[in-house]
Amino acid sequence: MGAKNVCLMTDKTLSQLPPVRVVMDSLVRNGINFQVYDEVRVEPTDSSFMDAIEFAKKGAFDAYVAVGGGSTMDTCKAANLYASSPNSEFLDYVNAPIGKGKPVLVPLRPLIAVPTTSGTGSETTGVAIFDYEHLKVKTGIASRAIKPTLGLVDPLHTLHMPGQVVANSGFDVLCHALESYTALPYHMRSPCPSNPIMRPAYQGSNPISDIWAVHALRIVAKYLKRAVRNPDDLEARSNMHLASAFAGIGFGNAGVHLCHGMSYPISGLVKTYKAKDYNVDHPLVVKKIPHGLSVVLTSPAVFTFTAQMFPERHLETAEILGADTRTTKRQDAGPVLADTLRKLLFDLNVDNGLAAIGYSKADIPALVKGTLPQERVTKLAPRPQSEEDLSALFEASMKLY
Amino acid sequence: MGAKNVCLMTDKTLSQLPPVRVVMDSLVRNGINFQVYDEVRVEPTDSSFMDAIEFAKKGAFDAYVAVGGGSTMDTCKAANLYASSPNSEFLDYVNAPIGKGKPVLVPLRPLIAVPTTSGTGSETTGVAIFDYEHLKVKTGIASRAIKPTLGLVDPLHTLHMPGQVVANSGFDVLCHALESYTALPYHMRSPCPSNPIMRPAYQGSNPISDIWAVHALRIVAKYLKRAVRNPDDLEARSNMHLASAFAGIGFGNAGVHLCHGMSYPISGLVKTYKAKDYNVDHPLVVKKIPHGLSVVLTSPAVFTFTAQMFPERHLETAEILGADTRTTKRQDAGPVLADTLRKLLFDLNVDNGLAAIGYSKADIPALVKGTLPQERVTKLAPRPQSEEDLSALFEASMKLY
């Protein structure tokens, strides 16, 4: 790439670990100047994005390397974007209606993404997600232009992950696959664009994204438990690392829907939760719940709700996840998939629903209110939802077992 | 793309059919100048390539549209390449050792590929195959640079295909999938390149190409017979059209091996064969056998031979193609897959082996000799082959049932 002045982005914890050291050694050995930005915030916000953007602008870098999970890769995408477009306001490229959703017309610098968790698939997508603190809502930037130039999907980088992190990241993969496979098909979205090229990145399920979703799901079914159980199971962790990238290619070209749409208020509003095994250093973090957990807790309710639209697809995923569906009736597709998911979550010792992470029935109106602005994803659900439907979904997710 | 002067390439037969008319109508309606080249030769040669290249050079086109099967798309790739590199000799970019195998460093014009057969997958690959008449050998040009900018995979374009053409094209898909899935894994090829970026396009099987191969195979298992039987079965023909593209993405990034390597002399040396259902107008064509047929006739022998290297993969493909493999021993993987293939070929009324298309035992030395220069693909077979091995494979392919 001919880079002479590289920005290496990571977080404080990783900056001391082998994945970052390998990159630094390689840059030094090849005589390439670089600066390290290790202030990436887990679950980034507009102000943490802004801090990274300032760093990028000052550094006048000609290439970026992001080493970390989704938070790091997303922060680096934003830094690259705004440093390449220095006269833009922050909200210019943020998704409407919160931001202006302007198309990205400037050329960006090369970005090499090195994922160290197996969940986000951010190395394959043109999406960068953050908390917009002012409105207490998750939103993001979505443009093919911010997709990393190259992803280095190296399973050795996942051996450091504690089991709980593997599980929660794996749930993100699971839901990326399930949601993109059951999303509204691209030809049923409305309004129908005048030309296929005008479809958004989240264009609905399609024959290409289906392949990635189903394949990622097969890997999750075969390897997630093994990867959680044993940090040295290189076969299982390698496969989960690939599954994360594969599911990313799938949902990055199809979209996600209700589990993700509902997860944003779940992680944004939670009051008391200390995630096990996460080493976090900013004060708000005791209030944060891991993204994958916030996504998966509603999955039994969500797929019970959506299955009436595409029961065959729901049954197919239940079968891949281990259910015996030979005699299942189509109208039972939702409950069968939900039971299969509950069993998986129970086996992996997941918190027993939203109640177990600090929510009660009184919080449901706020959770529903926080879901409504997530239209960009929720409208990709195969079945439209009223506020009452959302209420019922949150209520059904309070207790899983 | 801002094109103002487009080259539309097709063959004589298709030039009168709807797929080409649709493109012409669209160009006219949008006020874009274009010229039609309909002299594409089925199973192109160096001189037919050269003719198309001359046309492209004279026309000074700023974009290309290829409407047809692999012959048309490959011819158009070559025309675009040499018109963009007017000072190159024809052999400069042809694969070594026949040509010089130079890397393509010039920028090419956009090429839109519209496949009208469901076999080649050429719309997804950076390969253009032709007969080098002087040496009576198939060779080609292989470079990511000649990969089409865009493929329009429209199943309506396949409804005109006679059943026999669907079958033969489908065999090409079948073998693309089987060969790329059983090809030597990318990390076992030698010599090992100094850097992953130096891997050739035919880099060996890998986790990405595997997904496409297996998925294409599942489609073939489910839809090939239906697509052959009934020209109006839009679901079956749509799926086979996607399978062709999917298998193309797979083998285009992994490679093929013995069935393809051995097919080149089979189609090059055949003396008397008039393909059913093919409308062909050049004098040599009675000597031509459809590419997919020349590929599939050796498949039972080939996979019996290769299965001892990766028996699990061979068994898995047999199962996808309908075999009950629950009690099959690993050492029987080859024969079981071969029997499954024979059954499929018999059901589709395929000629009974090389003998049925005009070969006898006396031709085997020439067939072996014609296979030896196909090292670029044959060395991707999971098991190395001596000349005696190749002889035995041709002999075992004389009669299938």
Side-chain angles (χ1 to χ4, degrees), chain A residues 207-208 211-212 215 218 242 246 249, chain B residues 207-208 211-212 215 218 242 246 249:
Chain A
I208 306 283
I211 294 178
W212 296 104
H215 193 79
R218 283 185 212 278
L242 279 176
F246 292 169
I249 304 174
Chain B
I208 305 283
I211 294 177
W212 296 104
H215 193 77
R218 283 185 211 281
L242 279 175
F246 293 169
I249 305 174

Side-chain angles (χ1 to χ4, degrees), chain A residues 33-104:
Chain A
N33 286 330
F34 68 97
Q35 290 181 52
V36 177
Y37 178 86
D38 64 3
E39 305 281 334
V40 166
R41 184 189 149 111
V42 176
E43 306 294 335
T45 63
D46 48 336
S47 54
S48 81
F49 266 19
M50 230 94 82
D51 189 66
I53 291 165
E54 277 316 301
F55 184 87
K57 282 182 172 172
K58 275 190 206 132
F61 302 108
D62 56 9
Y64 294 80
V65 184
V67 183
S71 303
T72 300
M73 292 185 274
D74 287 6
T75 301
C76 197
K77 290 174 187 175
N80 186 7
L81 171 61
Y82 289 96
S84 303
S85 184
N87 298 323
S88 296
E89 301 287 328
F90 181 70
L91 286 179
D92 281 356
Y93 295 123
V94 171
N95 293 329
I98 290 163
K100 296 185 190 155
K102 286 192 186 170
V104 178

Side-chain angles (χ1 to χ4, degrees), chain A residues 174-189:
Chain A
L174 173 69
C175 289
H176 287 158
L178 288 173
E179 289 173 70
S180 61
Y181 193 57
T182 57
L184 205 60
Y186 71 100
H187 53 81
M188 291 172 66
R189 274 181 57 247

